[in-house]
Amino acid sequence: MDKTAVDNSNIIETNNDACQCKLYAIERGYWKDPYLKILAGSSHHERRTPEISLGYYVRVHGLRYLIEKFIKLTNNQCQIINLGCGFDTTIFYLLDNDNLQFKHFIDMDFDEITELKSNKIRRLSTLHSKLPTENHSLKIPCGFHSSQYTILPVDLRDLSQLDNQFKFLFDNQILDATKPTLFLCECVLIYMSNEHSLNLLKYLTKTFSSCCLFLNFEQINMNDRFGEIMFENLKHRSCHLIGMESCQSKESQCQRYLNANFTSSSCLTLNEYYKKYLNIDEKTRIEKIDGGLDEKELLEQLFEHYCFSWAYRDENNIGLNTITFK
Amino acid sequence: MATISDTDLTKKLEDSNIQTSTTEKDSANTIKTQANEAFKNCDYEKAIELYTKAIEIHPDAILYSNRSFAYLRREWYGYALIDAKKALEYDPKYIKAYYRRASAHMALGKYPSALSDYEYVKKACPNDKDATLKYEECKKIVTRIRFEKAIAVDDSGKSVANQIDLSSMPVETEYDGPHLEGDGRVTKTFMQALLPYFEKQKTLHKKYAYQIILQILSIFKSLPTLIDVTVPPKHKFTICGDIHGQFYDLLNIFKLNGLPSDENPYLFNGDFVDRGSFSMECILTLFGFKVLYPNHFFLARGNHESITMNQMYGFEGEVKAKYTVQMFQLFTEVFNYLPLAHCINNKVLVMHGGLFSKDDVTLKDIRAVDRVRQPPEDGLMSEILWSDPQPQNGRSESKRGVGLQFGPDVTERFLKLNNLEYVVRSHEVKQEGYELAHNDKCITIFSAPNYCDTMGNKGAFITITGDNVTPKFTSYTAVSHPAVRPMMYANQSSLFGLM
């Protein structure tokens, strides 16, 4: 695969932002992740407001909850594909937990990212010692391959490229299109046009039609002043939220999945999650970390504009409808 | 989510309850053994869960101490400290609990407290090498901190104020802004010229800014923590709440209510800076008026007049962008001297946050608070800056994680004890800019409309007269401002959101 000719640096920059915010939160003690610093760290992390740290905490833990449920439901016989993964460390989190087994985990992102991630993993024993040994017989340019974990470069807007990558995975028995497959997608779709994201989703439901779950973390309720301001602010940093249309409401989030041939979809704002599903002791602990929540309203406002949305196809009725927050 | 061992445990518990000879202590012991196992396997979550179960059945020093240990391993130092203290309540001679408490104190940076615990352990176990080692280590840290504090106090040159060399800041002829008098005096003419100058987004000359701030520092240094304000009969007095760098809305307040003067006194109740991106203009304006009308213009500290908040919410960034790092350090010094509360005509108490975790707090206690410091995590000063009223009686833990929430009964008792009519505070955004709570005895006043450009709220101010302290409220909507977004100078704006 040729190295990318298009300049995706502003989208790629969002990975840096997310990492720096996460690293600050980890440093402050919101949660533990010894791997992110190795992959993405710098020596000094600039202060973030508590809302941001709490937001990332909720993002990480909400998704993990659903991932774990999926793994348990599929008796560890599942495949996980992390779309637009960035320097996400979910693979290490799963490998560190003996109760969470899976058949294969794929990280996918632009080649600039996958090259960096792959090289870091190769170079640093603190990372590759956690992984199964690299399989050098299957060379992936700007990527990495081992018995349980593969990193693949791809531009998710280019379906022929994506299709080639999946063919490679199917042909080499790394993936099986009939096995239960979980797609993770965090703040990715909004950076591409609605046409691109719809086509991507349709491709996934066509290819993994028997059993798949798509987990999305993204903006929502964006057609208000807050959304306007976020849109403008990001525009000034050359970051264009072109996929805003699907992020207008719960309905628009859910409908986009149904339009892409998922059979069922759900959506929950971070506020709902934070109020109903977050363990109260944890909540007390994390709210104390940064010396007090200056303005609860601002936290609620931020959390009203992000959501977990998920959709599935479950032709074998394994029970994907049970993958929800409790 | 029941695990396999949980079910076994439950069954064991059920079984043991059926046997008539089993005591509660035995049940707790069974669970404790399980918990200890989990601890050995580094499953601290499970260990904590099980210790908690055991404590529910038959609490004792050992269980609390063990759970404290598990909390330490999870780095939940606040909980570890609470458990260690609890353990010592059950058994004041339990050495391990002292150890746990010391560890928690160390982790929380409370070295003198840790030292006294290590000292106890060392005395009780003079042959324990580890105890001696920990004591010595801790002692070194405490000694070092004491030394650093000592040299800081002795060397008054450490104060940034003393390092500012005004003569190195000559005013260029090209500078087209207002000038202070030769001796740095602020005049009415100066302030009248300053406001429109700021409105045009121009920068006051560095020298004049420093001169104002240095004068403010002297003024604040001379003030008590609680200021008694006397408003003569028939004379007006205005109380404003949070401004948060919204300079154009501050100008609007002056438009609606008149510029400050000897006849038109004002009190601004904290949170002058942060979030809004015209904090510099706000603070210099407020300081300018204070210097000009020292006995008719009052400023109280808010929780945002602190380093942590300024670093996160934009003021530090704004000062660095518009002036210098040194000036921010000077602001930190100045904010430390801001008074914490004002008492008007012995009837109305005004402070930024709210009331207290204990019922016996008097105005004398407030006056006696050592305020010249960064806001602490607890105690009167912390509560003054952070507390919030709640609708129900009693007190609750603050949703903010600092300070507390206090009910109408707390307000009632406080007012009665101190012979006051009502309390005014700020700190919370309100849709109309103000809110009357606790049978109108606890009033919130918030003066930053459309907070952060997104909340859509009104701002408000209170006016009273010397002979009639019944508050009158004026609400107003936000006025437009130049296209500089809130938190422009903060490191990472929450308005960028999660990426």
Side-chain angles (χ1 to χ4, degrees), chain B residues 159-179:
Chain B
S159 157
V160 176
N162 295 338
Q163 292 167 15
I164 291 164
D165 179 14
L166 293 170
S167 61
S168 72
M169 303 176 208
V171 182
E172 317 74 21
T173 39
E174 301 79 44
Y175 172 72
D176 64 348
H179 300 262

Side-chain angles (χ1 to χ4, degrees), chain A residues 131-292:
Chain A
L131 298 168
T133 344
E134 184 172 9
N135 180 341
H136 292 281
S137 63
L138 270 180
K139 271 224 158 1
I140 301 175
C142 300
F144 177 92
H145 177 62
S146 65
S147 62
Q148 264 191 305
Y149 175 60
T150 305
I151 303 176
L152 272 183
V154 75
D155 181 338
L156 294 169
R157 300 165 298 195
D158 184 342
L159 288 183
S160 65
Q161 217 185 78
L162 184 63
D163 193 47
N164 280 336
Q165 297 295 52
F166 274 121
K167 276 212 171 59
F168 168 83
L169 294 170
F170 294 139
D171 291 343
N172 288 291
Q173 276 97 49
I174 299 166
L175 277 193
D176 179 341
T178 62
K179 289 252 178 325
T181 308
L182 173 64
F183 295 100
L184 298 173
C185 195
E186 294 179 54
C187 294
V188 170
L189 300 182
I190 197 170
Y191 299 120
M192 62 176 83
S193 71
N194 289 295
E195 199 190 319
H196 278 134
S197 57
L198 182 61
N199 288 336
L200 170 64
L201 292 170
K202 278 182 170 165
Y203 174 83
L204 294 177
T205 52
K206 194 173 86 171
T207 315
F208 295 87
S209 55
S210 48
C211 187
C212 68
L213 173 66
F214 189 93
L215 272 186
N216 187 20
F217 176 90
E218 195 173 47
Q219 285 89 334
I220 193 176
N221 295 329
M222 289 292 277
N223 56 346
D224 62 0
R225 181 92 185 104
F226 181 94
E228 251 175 65
I229 292 184
M230 193 196 291
F231 186 84
E232 286 301 318
N233 288 345
L234 289 175
K235 209 164 82 167
H236 281 131
R237 290 157 110 219
S238 308
C239 191
H240 304 280
L241 300 181
I242 39 184
M244 275 259 271
E245 207 182 289
S246 304
C247 300
Q248 294 308 310
S249 64
K250 278 187 171 181
E251 288 69 40
S252 65
Q253 279 281 355
C254 288
Q255 190 58 42
R256 61 139 38 127
Y257 298 119
L258 302 175
N259 291 343
N261 303 318
F262 284 96
T263 51
S264 174
S265 59
S266 311
C267 182
L268 196 75
T269 66
L270 251 54
N271 257 334
E272 289 170 313
Y273 172 83
Y274 197 69
K275 288 190 176 134
K276 293 190 205 157
Y277 303 112
L278 183 58
N279 172 278
I280 195 101
D281 288 330
E282 264 303 275
K283 210 151 102 162
T284 314
R285 178 185 78 84
I286 59 179
E287 283 186 6
K288 276 192 156 72
I289 293 176
D290 270 314

Side-chain angles (χ1 to χ4, degrees), chain A residues 93-149:
Chain A
Y93 167 73
L94 294 177
L95 287 172
D96 273 350
N97 193 327
D98 289 331
N99 295 331
L100 300 172
Q101 309 264 11
F102 48 90
K103 295 229 80 184
H104 212 94
F105 190 106
I106 319 258
D107 263 341
M108 283 185 173
D109 208 321
F110 290 117
D111 55 25
E112 290 101 319
I113 297 274
T114 58
E115 185 172 19
L116 282 172
K117 197 169 188 177
S118 304
N119 285 339
K120 267 244 157 90
I121 286 174
R122 255 181 222 113
R123 258 187 24 240
L124 300 169
S125 60
T126 31
L127 294 176
H128 67 239
S129 63
K130 294 284 171 176
L131 298 168
T133 344
E134 184 172 9
N135 180 341
H136 292 281
S137 63
L138 270 180
K139 271 224 158 1
I140 301 175
C142 300
F144 177 92
H145 177 62
S146 65
S147 62
Q148 264 191 305
Y149 175 60

